[in-house]
Amino acid sequence: METPILYIVIPCYNEQEVLPVTSGMFLAKLRQLEGEGAISEKSRVLFVNDGSKDRTWEVIQGLCEQDEHFQGVCLSRNRGHQNALLAGLMTARRHADVTISIDCDGQDDINAMDEMLREYAAGCDVVYGVRSKRDTDTWFKRTTAQGFYKVMSALGADTVYNHADYRLMSRRALDGLAQFGEVNLFLRGLVPLVGYRSSSVYYERAERLAGESHYPLKKMLAFAFDGITSLSIKPIRIITALGFFISIVSVIGILWVLITHLVGFTVSGWSSMLCAIFFMGGVQLLCLGVIGEYVGKIYNETKRRPRFIIRETTLEGDEGAVDHE
Ligand code: UDP
Ligand code: MG
C-alpha cells in the first residue's frame, strides 16, 4: 500500500489561548509519522474555525503562513461542534486518504494516532478513540457522561461507550457518511451506521490545556437529548406503551367506580379525583412534549438547510464549497 495522506481535522471555537499550545503538538506528531513513513508528506493539519468571536481565525492564518502542513477552513458563522467537524471532514475527503478528527484542546492523547494508523493499515475503515479512564474529568462530568451512554444504549442508539469524536475514518467511510443528509447531526451515532470494519484504540484523557469547556451541563443535556431523539424512536414507543398501560388501569378504575356506585358506597372522592387529574395532565403534557420534539426534528429535516457554509479556506479548489453537493 502507498503511504496514505492523513488529514487531522480539528474544530475550533474561541480557542485563541489553546491553539498556540496544541498546534505545535499536532505538527510534531505529523512530522514524526511522516518520518516513520506511516503517512505521506502531503498530510496536513486542518483547522476548522467555527465562527469564533475571538482571534482564532487570525491565529490559524498565522500558523498556515508559518508551515505548509497547517491548513484552515473558516465557516461563515458558529454552527456548533458537530457541524464544524462535518465541514472539516467533508473538506478533507477531497484531499486525503484518511482523516483523524480530534478536539483542539489537547485533552485527547495524540499518541493514540500511531495505533489508529496501524489499525487502518491492517484494513479498518473506522477506528474509535476510546477513553480508558476519566480520572481528569470531574466526578459530575464523569457520572453524567456515563449515564448518557447507558441511556443511549438502553434506547437502542448504537454508540461506542466512552468514545467522543476522536476517530480515524478512511475516505471510503467518509463517502458513506456524506450520504447521510440529516440536519440533526450526531456523528457518534451516525458513524457506526456507516458500517465497514472498525476497531478501537484506548487512551487516557487529559485535562484541557487552556481555555474553557464549551459544554456546560445545559448544553450537555441538550446534546444528549438531541442524540437520543436523532437516533432512536424508542421514546415514542415508550409513550405508546405507557398509553396502553394507563388505559388498562383506567378501565379497571372505571369498573371499580361503577361497582362501588352500584353497591352504594359512593364516598366523597375528591382527593383521588384530583390525583388522577394531575397525574393524567402531567403524563399527557410530557408525552406531547416528546412527540413535539420529533415533530420539530422533522420540521428541521424537511427544510434541509445547509449544515455549514465555508467562508474562506487556505486549501486550493475549496473556495465557496457548500454542503449537500
Ligand atoms: N467547538 C466548536 N464549536 C462549538 C463548540 C465547540 O467547534 O460551538 C470545538 C472546540 O473548539 C473543541 C471541541 O469542539 O475543539 C470540543 O469542545 P470542548 O473542549 O469545549 O468540549 P469538552 O471537551 O469539554 O466536551
Ligand atoms: Mg475538550
Side-chain angles (χ1 to χ4, degrees):
M1 199 164 76
E2 255 180 73
T3 47
I5 302 177
L6 167 72
Y7 268 52
I8 302 178
V9 178
I10 308 171
C12 311
Y13 177 57
N14 295 348
E15 302 282 13
Q16 62 180 12
E17 278 109 42
V18 81
L19 266 182
V21 186
T22 51
S23 55
M25 295 164 45
F26 293 122
L27 184 60
K29 186 86 234 169
L30 211 62
R31 288 234 169 91
Q32 174 225 319
L33 289 166
E34 263 179 42
E36 289 166 4
I39 55 172
S40 137
E41 73 272 19
K42 290 199 200 114
S43 299
R44 298 286 178 263
V45 177
L46 179 64
F47 295 105
V48 182
N49 172 36
D50 184 17
S52 300
K53 294 184 177 63
D54 62 2
R55 296 184 40 81
T56 301
W57 182 234
E58 283 78 6
V59 174
I60 294 173
Q61 282 176 316
L63 289 168
C64 296
E65 273 161 32
Q66 269 170 37
D67 196 305
E68 59 165 4
H69 283 95
F70 289 122
Q71 297 291 335
V73 165
C74 182
L75 301 191
S76 60
R77 56 158 294 160
N78 180 244
R79 297 292 285 118
H81 178 208
Q82 299 288 295
N83 292 308
L85 186 53
L86 183 79
L89 291 174
M90 291 302 115
T91 306
R93 182 165 76 102
R94 291 192 281 272
H95 306 272
D97 299 312
V98 57
T99 60
I100 294 179
S101 51
I102 188 167
D103 291 351
C104 75
D105 54 13
Q107 283 190 285
D108 302 308
D109 182 9
I110 50 171
N111 294 315
M113 288 185 187
D114 301 66
E115 208 186 323
M116 285 183 170
L117 285 165
R118 277 196 289 275
E119 295 283 328
Y120 169 72
C124 285
D125 280 280
V126 180
V127 185
Y128 300 102
V130 177
R131 292 167 215 170
S132 53
K133 289 197 273 187
R134 300 186 73 121
D135 287 356
T136 54
D137 280 345
T138 59
W139 174 87
F140 184 73
K141 177 132 190 172
R142 206 161 56 219
T143 332
T144 45
Q146 267 158 12
F148 165 64
Y149 290 107
K150 297 225 167 85
V151 172
M152 290 287 283
S153 72
L155 290 175
D158 189 12
T159 52
V160 178
Y161 188 67
N162 259 347
H163 156 71
D165 284 301
Y166 183 21
R167 76 176 85 78
L168 175 146
M169 288 182 83
S170 68
R171 182 164 45 205
R172 173 160 92 144
L174 290 174
D175 289 343
L177 181 67
Q179 292 180 48
F180 287 75
E182 52 202 89
V183 177
N184 297 287
L185 253 202
F186 191 72
L187 291 171
R188 268 169 242 191
L190 289 185
V191 175
L193 293 177
V194 172
Y196 292 123
R197 216 173 108 193
S198 69
S199 72
S200 299
V201 162
Y202 296 86
Y203 70 96
E204 281 172 31
R205 190 164 153 101
E207 252 162 282
R208 212 174 213 288
L209 292 178
E212 271 177 20
S213 168
H214 301 92
Y215 282 95
L217 179 65
K218 198 173 138 218
K219 258 187 152 177
M220 249 163 55
L221 283 178
F223 188 58
F225 198 62
D226 228 32
I228 292 168
T229 49
S230 292
L231 293 172
S232 161
I233 54 161
K234 265 209 180 145
I236 288 192
R237 300 248 166 85
I238 293 172
I239 286 178
T240 316
L242 191 70
F244 264 118
F245 175 72
I246 292 179
S247 310
I248 290 168
V249 171
S250 36
V251 169
I252 297 171
I254 289 167
L255 284 178
W256 172 70
V257 168
L258 282 179
I259 292 167
T260 41
H261 180 77
L262 292 176
V263 175
F265 266 152
T266 31
V267 277
S268 55
W270 182 80
S271 18
S272 54
M273 265 257 289
L274 268 191
C275 289
I277 290 172
F278 282 149
F279 177 68
M280 284 311 299
V283 168
Q284 280 172 352
L285 275 184
L286 178 75
C287 296
L288 268 183
V290 173
I291 292 168
E293 193 66 34
Y294 283 94
V295 175
K297 283 252 147 86
I298 298 170
Y299 178 61
N300 282 329
E301 294 294 351
T302 50
K303 280 187 295 199
R304 285 189 63 73
R305 286 185 179 156
R307 294 169 289 186
F308 57 85
I309 296 171
I310 292 175
R311 187 186 81 192
E312 259 174 79
T313 163
T314 59
L315 286 161
E316 267 161 50
D318 277 333
E319 295 82 9
V322 285
D323 190 15
H324 296 311
E325 299 166 274

